[in-house]
Amino acid sequence: MASNGMVDYANLENPGERTVLREFDRRKRARNLTLPTDDYQVKMLLRKCNEPICLFGEDILDRRERLRTLLSTLDEGDVSKILRSDAGPQRSQQQTTEDDATTWYHKATCGDALRECRVRIADYSLPRAKERLAEARRKSENQSHEKALLQQEMHRGIQAIEIYGSQVVDPIRQAAFCEFSPDSKHIITAGWSGMVSIWGVGDCKEELRFQAHEQSSGCARFHPGAYVEQQPYELNAASCDHAGNVSLWNLENTEPMATFENAKCRITRVSFHPSGRYISSACFDSSWRLTDVETCQELLFQEGHSKEVYDVGFQNDGALALSGGADCYGRVWDLRTGRHIMFLEGHQKPVITVGWHPNGYTMVTGSADNTCKVWDIRMRRCNYTISAHKSVVSRLKIDATGEFMATSSFDNTIKIWSTTGWQPLRSFSGHEHKVTSVDVSPCGKWMASTSADRTMKLWTKRQ
């Protein structure tokens, strides 16, 4: 043993033993290396080592690990020389730190209205968070065998699901979106011909067809109180189109209550805040907007993504919003303060769909890289990566109990996953073309899907 704690390889006669011990020492040095996390600085260090700064198929983490492996093979003097940074990189690191600490958002022109909105959201979310935590504590007291029995019952129910009915919901172009009403008795659909309709769940008959959009409609959503708290003459649904318009609907007229132009570009998805007072719209101008549905006043023009925004989802409490876009990133926003509180990095292609687990801290993102990633906002990291489909994940939906998740894909299939370990439970094939949307009813008894074959299919447990 040498004086510095390293093994003296000259005294070892066995060549295999020398090789193994050298590898142990290299790994130890690699673990002790402190490397920059900024990708630009990692590339510059690789260039100093006369190594390519990027390899085919290599992501940021792979590149940093390659640099760590390379430096662990060099002498300590060479490593210190390479890692020694001059004033330029120091300024770059300082600038990076300042950028990370800066909140990226537009100051609203309607300051008082936005402030009232944030206060109202805080007042709404705090009691709901308290109820959610009390429910979580109650569930944690359940015996393990009770939880196992509930999971077994859920698994048996999923294995018994089959097609209940099929209906053409857009006679011209693809059906783009579907969602159940809060009472689980109605479905709203949107199609690329601009058609928006409401259907009965039991008979798949069209109950109401709106005189909707002149251009393609990519999304239609029910108000959180539709068919439950809202009166037929009040706001019960909303839809958007590729021209940048958002239309608000009641259940008594086929013409919109109000239409406002949120952006002069395509709007991919709209989503009601759990309070029902606000609606978000994901826009192709690299932003998402928050609008008051009572006044049709745009309260927030939120930037942060560098490319198109595809989806925005609200936490059940209503305090946080999650956005995903074509820049391959997700971002979590605190609606009470306007701060960007978490950056979701890891997808290799655009993030198409996002969703929240009812526990309030687990998020799931679905991407065009065929995967879903599960994130924990408490630990601020990705916990699971699910190789979900063979093509784009078009939408994901976690059921109201948080026991399972349904995903749809352009590979013509729908899959159901357990939220305990995120294991696949079943795959469904029924559509002839890519599946554009999937939804699970609040009661948990129904599942609906739409497809580019212009149909909507209903799924339920066989009797």
Side-chain angles (χ1 to χ4, degrees):
M1 184 73 67
S3 59
N4 60 358
M6 304 298 290
V7 177
D8 187 0
Y9 301 111
N11 297 328
L12 298 177
E13 298 180 356
N14 190 334
E17 188 177 356
R18 285 200 299 269
T19 302
V20 170
L21 291 176
R22 282 196 179 96
E23 178 63 17
F24 282 155
D25 287 343
R26 188 197 65 78
R27 293 183 181 181
K28 183 178 179 181
R29 290 196 300 272
R31 288 194 300 268
N32 294 332
L33 287 174
T34 301
L35 300 180
T37 57
D38 181 68
D39 188 49
Y40 176 79
Q41 295 185 36
V42 171
K43 290 180 179 179
M44 292 302 100
L45 292 175
L46 285 170
R47 179 165 291 173
K48 284 185 178 181
C49 299
N50 296 322
E51 291 288 326
I53 63 172
C54 185
L55 299 179
F56 179 76
E58 185 180 56
D59 61 13
I60 295 175
L61 296 179
D62 294 336
R63 186 157 41 248
R64 191 165 180 261
E65 191 60 30
R66 179 161 64 90
L67 175 62
R68 183 184 299 278
T69 302
L70 175 65
L71 295 180
S72 65
T73 61
L74 303 178
D75 296 333
E76 293 184 4
D78 295 336
V79 172
S80 300
K81 183 178 180 181
I82 293 173
L83 293 179
R84 188 183 301 119
S85 57
D86 54 12
Q90 287 176 0
R91 289 193 299 271
S92 175
Q93 177 65 29
Q94 182 180 2
Q95 182 65 37
T96 302
T97 304
E98 292 176 356
D99 291 343
D100 291 341
T102 301
T103 303
W104 191 358
Y105 66 95
H106 265 287
K107 183 177 180 180
T109 56
C110 51
D112 292 339
L114 179 58
R115 182 181 180 277
E116 292 176 3
C117 165
R118 297 201 190 283
V119 172
R120 192 176 291 115
I121 288 176
D123 292 340
Y124 175 83
S125 63
L126 290 174
R128 289 172 63 92
K130 184 178 179 180
E131 293 175 3
R132 173 173 57 82
L133 293 175
E135 178 67 14
R137 283 190 290 268
R138 187 190 63 80
K139 287 184 177 180
S140 66
E141 295 173 356
N142 292 345
Q143 300 296 326
S144 59
H145 68 275
E146 295 179 358
K147 297 179 182 178
L149 290 175
L150 291 175
Q151 286 189 357
Q152 291 176 7
E153 183 180 355
M154 182 265 292
H155 290 182
R156 285 194 298 267
I158 289 175
Q159 296 305 319
I161 292 177
E162 60 183 15
I163 291 181
Y164 176 84
S166 181
Q167 180 64 271
V168 175
V169 296
D170 193 319
I172 302 175
R173 301 188 67 185
Q174 73 175 29
F177 198 87
C178 65
E179 184 179 68
F180 283 95
S181 62
D183 65 355
S184 302
K185 297 180 180 179
H186 311 271
I187 302 175
I188 190 169
T189 60
W192 274 21
S193 67
M195 184 182 299
V196 176
S197 301
I198 295 179
W199 310 79
V201 169
D203 52 12
C204 291
K205 290 184 178 179
E206 189 176 38
E207 299 177 346
L208 188 62
R209 178 182 295 185
F210 298 112
Q211 297 178 8
H213 303 277
E214 296 181 357
Q215 294 199 23
S216 300
S217 177
C219 181
R221 309 293 289 266
F222 276 116
H223 186 280
Y227 291 101
V228 179
E229 300 173 353
Q230 298 290 98
Q231 298 297 322
Y233 59 84
E234 295 179 318
L235 172 63
N236 278 266
S239 61
C240 64
D241 63 23
H242 291 185
N245 300 311
V246 177
S247 297
L248 306 180
W249 310 93
N250 60 28
L251 302 178
E252 292 185 342
N253 300 307
T254 59
E255 296 184 355
M257 299 172 57
T259 298
F260 52 88
E261 186 179 24
N262 236 181
K264 296 182 179 180
C265 62
R266 174 178 173 179
I267 298 178
T268 52
R269 298 272 172 90
V270 290
S271 181
F272 277 101
H273 187 267
S275 66
R277 176 69 185 269
Y278 310 103
I279 189 170
S280 69
S281 51
C283 307
F284 261 38
D285 62 355
S286 308
S287 73
W288 64 272
R289 323 289 179 93
L290 189 69
T291 304
D292 189 328
V293 296
E294 293 187 1
T295 63
C296 294
Q297 180 183 18
E298 181 182 298
L299 302 176
L300 179 64
F301 171 58
Q302 182 66 68
E303 285 189 318
H305 291 274
S306 59
K307 293 184 179 180
E308 299 89 345
V309 179
Y310 280 109
D311 197 10
V312 178
F314 293 105
Q315 183 197 37
N316 288 353
D317 299 343
L320 306 177
L322 168 62
S323 60
D327 54 5
C328 310
Y329 302 130
R331 291 180 179 271
V332 183
W333 310 89
D334 189 338
L335 299 176
R336 300 162 298 183
T337 63
R339 290 184 178 276
H340 168 237
I341 61 175
M342 185 174 174
F343 183 62
L344 280 56
E345 179 182 17
H347 283 292
Q348 304 300 314
K349 290 185 179 180
V351 177
I352 305 297
T353 177
V354 300
W356 287 87
H357 192 282
N359 63 20
Y361 57 82
T362 300
M363 305 166 289
V364 186
T365 55
S367 171
D369 62 10
N370 312 343
T371 69
C372 291
K373 288 185 179 291
V374 183
W375 311 82
D376 192 317
I377 197 170
R378 302 169 304 174
M379 295 183 283
R380 304 176 64 84
R381 71 181 187 189
C382 176
N383 285 342
Y384 297 94
T385 297
I386 308 171
S387 298
H389 289 273
K390 297 179 181 178
S391 187
V392 176
V393 180
S394 55
R395 196 186 180 211
L396 63 88
K397 176 68 176 183
I398 301 175
D399 78 308
T401 63
E403 295 294 329
F404 67 90
M405 176 181 71
T407 59
S408 60
S409 172
F410 286 2
D411 63 5
N412 305 355
T413 65
I414 303 164
K415 292 185 179 181
I416 295 184
W417 310 81
S418 169
T419 56
T420 304
W422 304 97
Q423 300 299 316
L425 299 179
R426 195 176 171 193
S427 178
F428 301 91
S429 298
H431 288 285
E432 298 177 359
H433 297 289
K434 59 186 180 181
V435 185
T436 55
S437 179
V438 67
D439 194 37
V440 180
S441 65
C443 67
K445 297 180 179 179
W446 299 90
M447 185 170 68
S449 59
T450 54
S451 168
D453 61 13
R454 301 175 296 157
T455 66
M456 172 191 69
K457 295 189 185 297
L458 273 178
W459 311 74
T460 190
K461 302 173 186 177
R462 57 177 174 268
Q463 300 298 326

